[in-house]
């Protein structure tokens, strides 16, 4: 199968959707990106990279980082302990909704909604203190094999003055638990904002996707994520990685995935391929429209659907 040809065809197909969707307007800076920049990267089972479009363009991970926040928590705590703080249920609500939190007795429904990620950041802070941010950045840089990955401090500063729903959420998490009352929640918010502001490229995301799709092994064969942690992550990506679109995504694309409002989508496959897309214009649920359409196309061409 000619993967190079299929990747280029997928990129060309994506151009049909560039006029759909909107740039993020509630995080300063994300509304200033090139709305027509888009691309995809695929890594085959042997580690060869196929790419098209804006591959090296850097953008913030935003919610994609939640996958790795949870992996770090899995490395630091027993899984049973984490489940006391964060559930494993899909959500029919928006990623920043307070309704699920209130309905579940203040336990976040899963680690990929904002309440769940904030609670994960609390667990990391509880374990690692002020070094938590450095640990998160080091983990992602190491997995992506890119020491140049860094935090976009301009986005961090902008986020600290916005994110009102997250502020309301974290006070609710502290008011009734699971975040303890002796913690400065603004430190937790800072960890979360900095983690979301880690800037990567689509090629970086494809490398991360490859590891998750290969049971935690990188292209060199090194076990860089525990096999079971990779399995848990793939499962959660399938259940709730694209927010309240996850059910539709499972039918339309048939892969596990984690999206972010920075425009990236990182997938997980069951055949060892790494696959990621980028497109900054989003649908109403916070997912890249051109990214989803390209994934639909390439999933059909390569018969990737796992359902």
């Amino acid at each position: 199968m000619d993967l190079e040809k299929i990747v280029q065809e997928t990129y060309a197909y994506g151009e049909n959707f560039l006029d759909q969707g909107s740039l993020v307007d509630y995080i300063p800076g994300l509304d200033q990106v090139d709305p027509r920049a888009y691309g995809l990267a695929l890594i085959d089972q042997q580690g060869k990279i196929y790419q098209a479009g804006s591959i090296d363009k850097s953008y913030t991970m935003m919610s994609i980082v939640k996958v790795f926040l949870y992996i770090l928590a899995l490395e630091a705590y027993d899984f049973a302990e984490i489940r006391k703080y964060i559930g494993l249920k899909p959500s029919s609500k928006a990623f920043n909704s307070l309704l699920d939190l209130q309905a579940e007795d203040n336990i976040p429904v899963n680690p990929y909604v904002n309440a769940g990620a904030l609670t994960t950041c609390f667990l990391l802070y509880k374990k690692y203190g002020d070094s938590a941010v450095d640990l998160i950045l080091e983990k992602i840089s190491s997995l992506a094999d890119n020491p140049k990955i860094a935090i976009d401090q301009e986005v961090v500063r902008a986020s600290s003055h916005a994110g009102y729903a997250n502020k309301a959420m974290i006070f609710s998490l502290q008011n009734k638990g699971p975040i303890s009352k002796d913690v400065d929640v603004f430190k937790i918010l800072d960890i979360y904002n900095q983690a979301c502001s880690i800037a990567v490229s689509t090629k970086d995301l494809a490398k991360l996707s490859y590891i998750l799709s290969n049971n935690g092994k990188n292209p060199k064969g090194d076990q860089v994520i525990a096999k079971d942690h990779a399995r848990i992550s793939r499962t959660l990506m399938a259940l709730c990685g694209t927010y309240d679109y996850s059910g539709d995504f499972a039918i339309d694309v048939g892969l596990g995935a984690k999206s972010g409002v920075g425009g990236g989508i990182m997938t997980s496959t069951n055949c060892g391929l790494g696959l990621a897309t980028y497109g900054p214009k989003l649908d109403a649920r916070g997912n890249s429209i051109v990214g989803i359409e390209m994934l639909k196309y390439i999933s059909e061409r390569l018969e990737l659907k796992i359902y």
Side-chain angles (χ1 to χ4, degrees):
M1 185 174 291
D2 190 340
L3 291 178
E4 178 64 37
K5 180 181 179 183
I6 291 173
V7 165
Q8 296 301 325
E9 288 175 353
T10 303
Y11 176 70
Y13 177 76
E15 188 174 6
N16 297 312
F17 303 92
L18 293 182
D19 293 331
Q20 298 182 24
S22 304
L23 296 177
V24 170
D25 59 3
Y26 54 86
I27 299 176
L30 295 190
D31 57 349
Q32 302 299 314
V33 301
D34 181 359
R36 299 187 69 80
Y38 75 107
L40 76 155
L42 182 146
I43 304 177
D44 69 14
Q45 291 90 340
Q46 289 71 47
K48 182 178 179 180
I49 300 176
Y50 304 85
Q51 55 195 32
S54 302
I55 293 307
D56 296 314
K57 177 181 175 59
S58 180
Y59 50 90
T60 49
M61 293 184 79
M62 291 295 159
S63 284
I64 297 172
V65 81
K66 295 171 182 176
V67 175
F68 303 98
L69 296 178
Y70 199 68
I71 286 172
L72 283 167
L74 288 168
E75 292 175 352
Y77 295 89
D78 289 337
F79 191 28
E81 179 68 14
I82 298 173
R83 293 173 77 165
K84 296 176 184 177
Y85 292 84
I86 308 165
L88 299 170
K89 301 177 182 179
S91 175
S92 61
K93 309 293 189 301
F95 58 87
N96 60 353
S97 172
L98 279 165
L99 294 178
D100 273 339
L101 193 59
Q102 294 166 346
E104 296 292 327
D105 198 26
N106 236 52
I107 299 297
V109 289
N110 66 64
Y112 294 170
V113 293
N114 289 14
L118 287 166
T119 304
T120 306
C121 287
F122 161 68
L123 291 173
L124 295 178
Y125 179 73
K126 185 178 174 183
K127 185 77 173 183
Y128 301 109
D130 292 333
S131 63
V133 171
D134 292 335
L135 181 70
I136 296 163
L137 180 60
E138 179 184 345
K139 184 73 170 180
I140 291 169
S141 299
S142 174
L143 292 175
D145 193 24
N146 183 359
K148 295 183 179 180
I149 290 176
I151 297 170
D152 188 330
Q153 293 297 339
E154 289 188 14
V155 176
V156 175
R157 285 190 288 271
S159 299
S160 67
H161 295 293
Y164 303 110
N166 286 341
K167 290 173 183 174
M169 202 169 292
I170 201 163
F171 280 116
S172 179
L173 288 165
Q174 188 176 51
N175 182 45
K176 295 183 178 180
I179 294 179
S180 58
K181 291 183 169 57
D182 60 341
V183 171
D184 180 354
V185 291
F186 287 102
K187 286 189 175 183
I188 309 303
L189 274 170
D190 183 60
I191 293 170
Y192 176 79
N193 287 334
Q194 292 206 57
C196 289
S197 301
I198 293 172
V200 295
S201 68
T202 307
K203 189 185 298 183
D204 293 326
L205 289 183
K207 291 178 180 179
L208 297 173
S209 167
Y210 179 95
I211 291 169
L212 292 171
S213 301
N214 283 275
N215 291 318
K217 291 185 177 181
N218 65 17
K220 298 176 183 177
D222 300 325
Q223 193 78 50
V224 290
I225 296 175
K227 181 178 179 180
D228 200 43
H229 297 170
R231 179 190 65 83
I232 291 168
S233 299
R234 292 195 307 269
T235 304
L236 285 167
M237 289 165 72
L239 290 173
C240 44
T242 50
Y243 313 121
D244 47 329
Y245 180 64
S246 295
D248 297 88
F249 190 92
I251 298 296
D252 296 341
V253 179
L255 296 173
K258 186 71 198 81
S259 63
V261 297
I265 302 177
M266 176 187 71
T267 73
S268 61
T269 72
N270 66 346
C271 59
L273 295 176
L275 176 61
T277 62
Y278 169 71
K281 295 177 75 174
L282 312 180
D283 61 20
R285 289 155 160 163
N287 302 305
S288 167
I289 289 180
V290 66
I292 286 175
E293 294 300 331
M294 287 192 295
L295 288 173
K296 288 180 184 177
Y297 183 90
I298 200 167
S299 179
E300 288 288 344
R301 290 298 309 274
L302 298 179
E303 299 182 347
L304 297 179
K305 293 186 178 183
I306 62 177
Y307 306 106

